[in-house]
Amino acid sequence: MTTRLVEGSEVVADAMVRAGCRFFAGYPMTPFTEVLEHMATALPPVGGVCVNAESELEAVGMVWGAAAAGTRAATGSTGQGLSLMQESIAEASLAGIGFVVLNMARGQGDYFQATRGGGHGDYRTPVLAPSGPVEVAELMAEAFELADRWRNPVVVVGDYYMAHTWVDIETPGEVPEPPPAPEWSLDGHSGGSGAAKLVSPLGTAKRRDGVGYDLAAHYEGCAQRRREMTAGITPRAELVETDDAEVVLVAYGTMARYADAAVSALRSEGHRVGLVRPITLWPFPEAQVKAAADGSAGVVAVYENNAGQMIDDVRLSLLGSSPVVGLNSFATDSSAFGIAPDVTVENLTASVRELLSEFGQDAT
Amino acid sequence: MTERRPDGLTVLPSDVAPTDAIQVADFTPDLVDVGEHHLCPGCGEPIAIRAVMDGISLLGLADKCMAVFGIGCSTAFSNNLDVEVLQALHGRAPSVATGVIRMRPELAVFTIQGDGDMANEGLQEVLHAAARGENIVCIMLNNGVFGETGGHLTVTTTIGQRTKNTIEGRNAAEHGHPMRIAEMLAQIDGVGYVARGAVNDAGNVARTKRMIVDAFTAQQQQLGLSFVEILTMCPTGWFIPTDEAPAYLAETIAGTHAVGVLRSELT
Amino acid sequence: MTDQTVRGTVVIDVEACKGCDLCIDACKPGVLSMTTDETNTRGYRFAELSVGCTGCRACADVCPDFCFQVFRFHEPKSWSPEGGFS
């Protein structure tokens, strides 16, 4: 088993190619740029195409086209770039065009953008949050599966650490062939047949069938597909020593790695601390958070590198059944790139100790 | 209005097809599913779309093409054609078409957009697609207004042209200058064919059909992006009677946006 | 009135017509005219055919509502006010 020291961005790019992605379009923006670079070199050898789009608007437009033409396609950026893509992401859900959107985020201030969507109308997107390069490969494959199955964009959230941390990775084998084009997709051939196919955010009602676009019926159909998608995806979280935890930390992505280390440190000191790490940010693992909180906890502490966004989903999971606090004071990113020097395990364990004295058994 | 019919003019029956004749034109062309549509009386867009569909039939591309529609009045035809259609968002058609052609290079991928969709919302899209030399055909139906919203200023509205935002007529001091899209694209080296047609009379319709055939021929020869701008009438958005629209096009629109072939790499 | 030569004819989908006049002005021999009082079921006046069509299809090419089928007779016919087509 040979291994190679590889940059996280390359692991992300390789994961996409191995998941069947054969079209990628993007615009450089730190810390997403290296994924774009690696896709530019990784795709051509497998017959794929990577386009350096002149704007994020064009990048996601190109992905629309490639995906509707039956290709597994993806785009990406960081928060700001994804803000420019929101209209196309929202309407892709109505058009039934699935693709993967990668956010190599700066910090975690894009949680709402990813989980609530920054676009318009009644749409949702599944959101997956790997906490390191190794988990990326598994989740990226799932992301493309979900996008194809639900014909809906899927967001994968990475960050600066994941992008620029070099890891020792087993050299992957042969790149698998991408799946065939889905039946609904367009390849031109139904033209002139009297039943030419249509892919449109306005619906697929053809005039020849005696109907025009019927937006009410189409939007109800989309709402039904969204209900099925919501029910059809199992919310997932990693649970670390939550059975008897007095303080249950909730954290995702790289911040969860810090939380994991803090749990180990505090457990070694005899403190009963646990961690719930959401893997699917949407649908949010409410049951796991509720179970961990009901088990024994005094308090649920949501550790985020933002001013407090995922905390809303934790509150919705608990509906007041346990106290919830946010641990963001020292995590607000003074670097503005999600790599604040004050984000350390020591700082986190110190603040958890305070919580223990306030909420734990040895609370005075 | 057209002067009324003189009294006593003989009216011949025109409801039954003759048997001792050959048919030279049908109601709807093969690739238009249904003739009836809700676009305004005197609208030029169905005429232009008919010319495009006739061109595609002529070149035998029906089962080897894909239309990427923009959003505007012409969207009425996005679910009314017997060719595969991918509906794009406002302004994004050239980018969406890029994604298609990159993965299916053998297809004749073309966009159908209005001037509002292409020249206002999506100008960057078509300029970059041209500079990249994407092997697609971009059709811009130019009536100098946002028709679907009832006749508002676009970047191609000509000086003096009345719109909802330029009630007294567009003047450069207040509303800026029109842009000549075909001329802009003709300077970009990634293009294989650039022309501007019009549908305000039968002669121009025939001329425009030739441009469309040449544009798709250039595309099939992989000469880069082909662009055909087609001046279309919009009596509603020009606030004039339908029968005055063809002349208005010639005088008010075509005066700034001249009809003709601007560039062709066809040998 | 001497006999007139008629080389072709059209079938007009009267219900599809929106009375926009484009065909009237496009018709080279000038044999199309708009009704004055009559309207179709949608309330639009519509085009009618007179004597002298050449089957040139200009009307079909400029019609925004696809109202015309155009035909050319195998043999040109002649028409007279008294006897109609002979």
Side-chain angles (χ1 to χ4, degrees):
Chain A
M1 197 260 287
T2 57
T3 62
R4 207 163 50 97
L5 197 58
V6 178
E7 185 181 31
S9 298
E10 185 172 348
V11 175
V12 171
D14 185 60
M16 283 194 275
V17 174
R18 307 183 69 75
C21 177
R22 287 301 177 269
F23 182 87
F24 192 80
Y27 186 97
M29 187 167 187
T30 300
F32 158 75
T33 309
E34 284 71 19
V35 170
L36 179 60
E37 286 173 20
H38 289 298
M39 289 304 271
T41 50
L43 276 175
V46 291
V49 172
C50 179
V51 179
N52 292 286
E54 289 79 4
S55 75
E56 288 88 350
L57 284 174
E58 292 165 82
V60 68
M62 295 174 191
V63 165
W64 257 57
T71 309
R72 278 194 163 174
T75 185
S77 184
T78 190
Q80 294 86 332
L82 292 180
S83 291
L84 294 175
M85 298 186 183
Q86 292 301 321
E87 183 198 11
S88 289
I89 291 169
E91 289 276 335
S93 173
L94 296 178
I97 300 175
F99 50 85
V100 170
V101 179
L102 174 69
N103 182 352
M104 297 302 277
R106 297 173 178 181
Q108 298 188 323
D110 304 341
Y111 181 89
F112 280 154
Q113 180 193 66
T115 57
R116 275 32 178 201
H120 58 286
D122 280 326
Y123 80 103
R124 301 307 294 265
T125 59
V127 183
L128 306 180
S131 76
V134 175
E135 194 177 26
V136 163
E138 174 220 331
L139 289 184
M140 201 56 90
E142 184 181 344
F144 280 98
E145 291 295 333
L146 290 173
D148 278 3
R149 172 156 180 228
W150 299 106
R151 292 183 58 181
N152 199 87
V154 172
V155 177
V156 175
V157 179
D159 58 36
Y160 201 103
Y161 293 100
M162 180 187 297
H164 295 313
T165 311
W166 289 68
V167 287
D168 208 5
I169 288 285
E170 190 188 316
T171 312
E174 207 45 47
V175 173
E177 278 303 304
E183 191 278 330
W184 61 267
S185 63
L186 304 177
D187 59 13
H189 299 327
S190 67
S193 68
K197 293 197 268 192
L198 165 67
V199 171
S200 165
L202 304 171
T204 54
K206 294 282 284 201
R207 296 287 314 286
R208 64 167 175 264
D209 303 326
V211 293
Y213 282 128
D214 178 347
L215 288 186
H218 176 57
Y219 288 162
E220 177 44 41
C222 293
Q224 177 55 25
R225 188 156 47 85
R226 193 180 55 254
R227 284 190 287 271
E228 287 160 9
M229 176 171 78
T230 308
I233 299 175
T234 312
R236 297 212 322 271
E238 180 192 8
L239 305 180
V240 180
E241 309 206 44
T242 52
D243 296 345
D244 64 344
E246 291 169 356
V247 173
V248 173
L249 290 172
V250 183
Y252 75 93
T254 295
M255 306 314 285
R257 298 165 70 110
Y258 284 89
D260 193 68
V263 166
S264 310
L266 291 159
R267 280 281 172 178
S268 65
E269 297 167 14
H271 296 299
R272 301 213 309 279
V273 179
L275 164 68
V276 176
R277 176 175 70 87
I279 296 169
T280 58
L281 301 186
W282 191 91
F284 191 75
E286 294 179 346
Q288 290 92 324
V289 169
K290 185 76 167 57
D294 289 352
S296 59
V299 67
V300 176
V302 184
Y303 177 43
E304 304 180 73
N305 190 347
N306 55 35
Q309 295 186 23
M310 183 166 63
I311 194 165
D312 282 10
D313 283 336
V314 172
R315 288 197 183 103
L316 282 170
S317 309
L318 302 175
L319 297 176
S321 61
S322 293
V324 180
V325 297
L327 296 179
N328 340 74
S329 54
F330 50 76
T332 308
D333 177 29
S334 53
S335 76
F337 276 80
I339 46 173
D342 43 12
V343 175
T344 64
V345 177
E346 291 68 31
N347 284 349
L348 176 53
T349 47
S351 62
V352 176
R353 281 198 200 90
E354 283 165 30
L355 286 178
L356 281 164
S357 60
E358 195 184 331
F359 289 91
Q361 247 122 16
D362 46 26
T364 49
Chain B
M1 292 300 288
T2 309
E3 69 296 334
R4 289 297 106 234
R5 185 183 62 191
D7 290 345
L9 185 72
T10 305
V11 173
L12 296 178
S14 54
D15 52 355
V16 177
T19 51
D20 53 355
I22 55 165
Q23 185 171 348
V24 291
D26 203 345
F27 291 125
T28 54
D30 310 341
L31 298 179
V32 174
D33 286 337
V34 174
E36 189 268 331
H37 58 78
H38 62 272
L39 297 184
C40 309
C43 173
E45 298 203 342
I47 307 169
I49 289 172
R50 177 187 193 128
V52 173
M53 289 300 119
D54 283 345
I56 286 175
S57 292
L58 197 66
L59 293 167
L61 294 172
D63 62 352
K64 292 187 284 298
C65 73
M66 194 183 305
V68 179
F69 267 75
I71 289 187
C73 294
S74 56
T75 306
F77 276 81
S78 63
N79 66 342
N80 190 32
L81 300 180
D82 195 23
V83 293
E84 289 194 3
V85 170
L86 173 53
Q87 176 66 54
L89 292 181
H90 198 44
R92 307 305 154 223
S95 302
V96 174
T98 296
V100 178
I101 197 72
R102 290 304 187 96
M103 300 319 294
R104 294 193 182 276
E106 75 288 356
L107 293 185
V109 181
F110 62 103
T111 74
I112 293 192
Q113 303 166 258
D115 51 306
D117 185 280
M118 182 186 279
N120 275 49
E121 178 69 42
L123 182 59
Q124 166 158 338
E125 257 81 357
V126 69
L127 292 181
H128 287 308
R132 290 193 306 267
E134 299 297 345
N135 204 42
I136 59 178
V137 179
C138 287
I139 308 279
M140 182 173 91
L141 310 179
N142 183 12
N143 55 18
V145 285
F146 280 103
E148 194 164 32
T149 52
H152 296 86
L153 176 77
T154 72
V155 82
T156 61
T157 302
T158 57
I159 298 297
Q161 184 181 340
R162 291 179 60 237
T163 71
K164 283 280 186 66
N165 333 67
T166 62
I167 289 294
E168 305 308 319
R170 180 177 193 174
N171 72 70
E174 249 181 289
H175 315 114
H177 300 267
M179 268 203 261
R180 296 177 182 79
I181 306 302
E183 281 75 0
M184 287 171 77
L185 283 160
Q187 302 162 41
I188 297 178
D189 291 334
V191 297
Y193 182 84
V194 177
R196 180 183 291 117
V199 291
N200 60 330
D201 60 44
N204 274 339
V205 168
R207 194 173 171 192
T208 303
K209 275 186 186 174
R210 283 193 296 277
M211 291 174 177
I212 288 162
V213 168
D214 287 348
F216 277 91
T217 304
Q219 190 271 342
Q220 288 290 292
Q221 293 177 12
Q222 320 259 334
L223 299 181
L225 189 136
S226 295
F227 178 73
V228 180
E229 178 176 339
I230 305 177
L231 303 182
T232 59
M233 298 81 71
C234 179
T236 302
W238 294 349
F239 319 118
I240 56 171
T242 55
D243 66 329
E244 292 174 16
Y248 185 93
L249 184 148
E251 289 136 20
T252 308
I253 309 292
T256 297
H257 304 287
V259 171
V261 178
L262 285 82
R263 179 170 175 171
S264 172
E265 309 298 339
L266 285 167
T267 47
Chain C
M1 271 286 280
T2 58
D3 285 11
Q4 272 184 278
T5 306
V6 180
R7 297 179 190 290
T9 186
V10 293
V11 172
I12 301 174
D13 181 350
V14 166
E15 286 312 313
C17 180
K18 294 177 185 159
C20 75
D21 282 303
L22 292 184
C23 57
I24 310 298
D25 306 325
C27 178
K28 295 185 178 66
V31 296
L32 287 175
S33 55
M34 201 56 69
T35 58
T36 44
D37 319 315
E38 252 183 295
T39 63
N40 58 24
T41 52
R42 296 196 292 181
Y44 289 113
R45 293 177 300 105
F46 52 87
E48 285 185 322
L49 174 68
S50 185
V51 177
C53 171
T54 63
C56 76
R57 67 166 285 155
C59 53
D61 284 341
V62 301
C63 175
D65 292 284
F66 308 102
C67 298
F68 291 94
Q69 280 180 330
V70 183
F71 301 86
R72 281 194 202 119
F73 295 125
H74 296 310
E75 292 302 323
K77 298 183 177 179
S78 64
W79 182 91
S80 68
E82 303 76 22
F85 283 107
S86 57

